[in-house]
Amino acid sequence: MSKFHPDLDLLTEYSAGTLPLAQAACVSIHVNQCDHCRRVLGQLNELGASLMESLQPEPVGDEQLNAVLARLDEETPLQYERRAQDGDNTPAILQRLMRGDFSDLSWKNIGAALRISYLKTGDPQHEFALYHIRAGGRIPEHTHRGGEMTLILQGGFSDSQGSYHAGDFIYRRPGDVHAPTALQSEDCICLAVLDAPLKFTDWRFRWMNPFLRLRAG
Amino acid sequence: MLAVSETTGDEPTGGARSADGTRIDEWSECLRLIAENQDRAAFTRLFRHFAPLMKAFALSGSTLSANHADELVQEVMLKVWQKAGAFNPKKAAASTWIYTIARNCRTDLYRRLQKFDTPLAAEDVTGDLESEEAFMALHQRRSGERIRQLMGELPNDQAQILAKVYMEGKSHSEVAGELDIPLGTVKSRVRLALQKLQIQIDR
Ligand SMILES: [Zn+2]
């Protein structure tokens, strides 16, 4: 059971459909595993519905009704399976974006303890990437030029603000500095959604900063 | 913007329930008839009630042309027909289920208009609320009713912001820009409103 959740602001924007796609994808994976957030989200959707019901109705003519009636026999579009396949607890949406499993991804090594694989969501403003941190490995100290959403998929990590485990959702605002270290017991895999590139503050890694472009899209 | 919806003879019966607590309002019944019998008359009743609300929803963002709004209405109502079998009256009100379809269709339409190239539809990133336990479902329905009752008591500034976020589909920072108030004020009004509606994270 997760201990860290998206805050009410994020859940509200998520339920109103206004979160950018990559962020919404990240929140959805947490929500699907979290009864707590599911319950709040259910209520927020009721709120949306009740606002919709109190709109001043706009007239819709019979020609519109007839146009829809004429289309009712259309073939229903194929639906993707939303649930993950049995025996695989990788969230369904990641399975689709990865087109395979973790071992099929192409990874970019950043130092000895970290490798990153970028996935394509089509969101032009956000990078959507999997971070694989070796057990006990430390990500060089960095700051965020923008916001960073992290969802832990496997294992866990700790930083000066706390320790986090599978299912936990963390949102760091611009300017937060941290140096996460994976738990000693197992490798950590997390999903990170960024709207600006990281910036290493650790002097040994600063030389990389000019190369850290945001890989959105 | 917000108006009290007119009461007509065929409004849902509200509090009526079957023995197991399931809503048996008219709209849930229409969805059942569509799913089980492909009942076009039931669909027509549903259309006459919801299509004008869908159109109002489409136009409240104010960036969609009248043609796109009509397109959205058709698309939402067609989806309602196609997916009626997936509606479960034990888990949500018919209007809540239809709202989420409308919201997702509108998001997808916005993205299509912006030539967004993505493998994901809005529906794919909608939380899967289906796996709820029976008691969660009951809790859900009660809070839905409570929210509807408490909505009328919200102060105007809070109701206005919720309408901008939900109906006009604006992010908190877009709302702040439009009303020329600080982002923090938008967030605190939203939070106050949610508090009044008793929507909170009790953890
Ligand atoms: Zn949660």
Side-chain angles (χ1 to χ4, degrees):
Chain A
M1 190 69 194
S2 319
K3 273 210 202 107
F4 296 87
H5 309 264
D7 66 13
L8 204 43
D9 294 345
L10 276 176
L11 287 179
T12 305
E13 294 201 285
Y14 176 70
S15 122
T18 57
L19 269 195
L21 179 60
Q23 293 192 338
C26 183
V27 171
S28 77
I29 298 172
H30 171 83
V31 163
N32 285 344
Q33 314 171 342
C34 179
D35 285 347
H36 237 40
C37 288
R38 268 219 298 276
R39 189 155 64 215
V40 177
L41 191 62
Q43 297 181 11
L44 288 167
N45 287 345
E46 298 271 2
L47 164 60
S50 120
L51 286 161
M52 179 192 80
E53 289 166 284
S54 50
L55 288 172
Q56 181 75 54
E58 287 283 334
V60 173
D62 273 350
E63 68 287 356
Q64 282 261 66
L65 171 61
N66 292 331
V68 178
L69 286 172
R71 292 176 63 192
L72 294 185
D73 296 322
E74 278 180 14
E75 211 60 55
T76 308
L78 286 175
Q79 298 280 329
Y80 282 101
E81 189 53 57
R82 283 166 54 95
R83 285 175 196 285
Q85 288 155 15
D86 286 343
D88 185 347
N89 51 20
T90 308
I93 194 162
L94 284 183
Q95 286 185 7
R96 276 185 52 201
L97 293 174
M98 293 183 342
R99 300 202 196 106
D101 63 26
F102 290 116
S103 57
D104 298 325
L105 294 171
S106 71
W107 294 93
K108 182 181 166 64
N109 290 307
I110 310 258
L114 170 67
R115 55 181 195 156
I116 302 181
S117 180
Y118 301 96
L119 300 181
K120 289 192 88 58
T121 62
D123 182 331
Q125 250 91 54
H126 292 84
E127 179 178 292
F128 187 92
L130 293 170
Y131 282 48
H132 180 172
I133 318 167
R134 198 186 292 274
R138 185 167 181 266
I139 297 190
E141 186 187 77
H142 60 273
T143 183
H144 299 118
R145 296 181 243 213
E148 180 195 58
M149 240 177 219
T150 309
L151 177 69
I152 303 186
L153 301 170
Q154 182 193 308
F157 69 76
S158 59
D159 64 16
S160 58
Q161 298 181 50
S163 85
Y164 313 97
H165 301 89
D168 282 344
F169 178 102
I170 306 128
Y171 188 55
R172 296 267 187 243
R173 318 236 166 226
D176 279 354
V177 178
H178 69 157
T181 303
L183 303 181
Q184 294 297 335
S185 51
E186 62 176 315
D187 286 11
C188 174
I189 298 179
C190 47
L191 170 65
V193 179
L194 275 71
D195 59 12
L198 296 182
K199 187 174 166 190
F200 287 120
T201 43
D202 183 325
W203 61 272
R204 287 164 303 165
F205 289 90
R206 275 186 207 157
W207 63 272
M208 291 185 75
N209 287 336
F211 305 101
L212 291 172
R213 283 179 301 108
L214 189 74
R215 285 155 208 263
Chain B
M1 191 103 21
L2 288 176
V4 182
S5 58
E6 294 162 52
T7 313
T8 59
D10 57 8
E11 284 294 302
T13 46
R17 299 198 183 292
S18 64
D20 66 347
T22 306
R23 280 166 198 269
I24 45 168
D25 64 83
E26 178 176 8
W27 310 129
S28 301
E29 184 58 13
C30 284
L31 288 171
R32 188 186 64 78
L33 289 169
I34 294 169
E36 290 175 8
N37 311 328
Q38 286 79 49
D39 187 328
R40 287 171 185 246
F43 179 76
T44 303
R45 285 202 298 282
L46 203 72
F47 186 99
R48 291 201 192 282
H49 179 75
F50 282 101
L53 293 174
M54 295 300 109
K55 187 157 182 187
F57 175 69
L59 291 172
S60 43
S62 76
T63 55
L64 287 183
S65 66
N67 278 344
H68 284 133
D70 288 343
E71 188 188 316
L72 186 66
V73 170
Q74 289 199 19
E75 210 175 315
V76 173
M77 296 313 297
L78 193 59
K79 274 238 164 80
V80 166
W81 170 266
Q82 290 168 340
K83 294 166 65 93
F87 170 68
N88 181 344
K90 289 187 179 153
K91 293 187 173 150
S95 63
T96 306
W97 183 76
I98 293 174
Y99 161 72
T100 56
I101 293 177
R103 177 199 65 195
N104 289 345
C105 284
R106 185 169 77 175
T107 305
D108 286 334
L109 177 59
Y110 280 151
R111 290 190 181 136
R112 271 206 306 281
L113 294 174
Q114 290 166 30
K115 309 248 187 301
F116 224 84
D117 181 19
T118 173
L120 302 175
E123 190 185 354
D124 299 322
V125 299
T126 295
D128 181 5
L129 304 181
E130 285 298 301
S131 55
E132 286 175 21
E133 320 255 330
F135 95 92
M136 290 263 285
L138 181 66
H139 179 90
Q140 193 65 44
R141 285 202 314 271
R142 293 211 172 126
S143 53
E145 285 158 17
R146 191 189 62 226
I147 288 163
R148 283 173 175 78
Q149 279 163 12
L150 294 171
M151 277 301 279
E153 296 168 22
L154 286 184
N156 267 340
D157 60 337
Q158 292 170 19
Q160 179 202 26
I161 289 207
L162 287 185
K164 288 206 172 292
V165 171
Y166 275 88
M167 296 299 103
E168 299 182 24
K170 296 193 167 120
S171 70
H172 290 168
S173 47
E174 283 168 330
V175 173
E178 191 185 301
L179 298 179
D180 200 20
I181 52 178
L183 179 59
T185 309
V186 172
K187 289 188 175 180
S188 65
R189 281 186 197 166
V190 170
R191 282 188 175 249
L192 279 173
L194 297 183
Q195 231 169 52
K196 291 220 173 76
L197 301 174
Q198 298 171 28
I199 299 176
Q200 54 215 344
I201 305 190
D202 43 340
R203 48 180 67 124

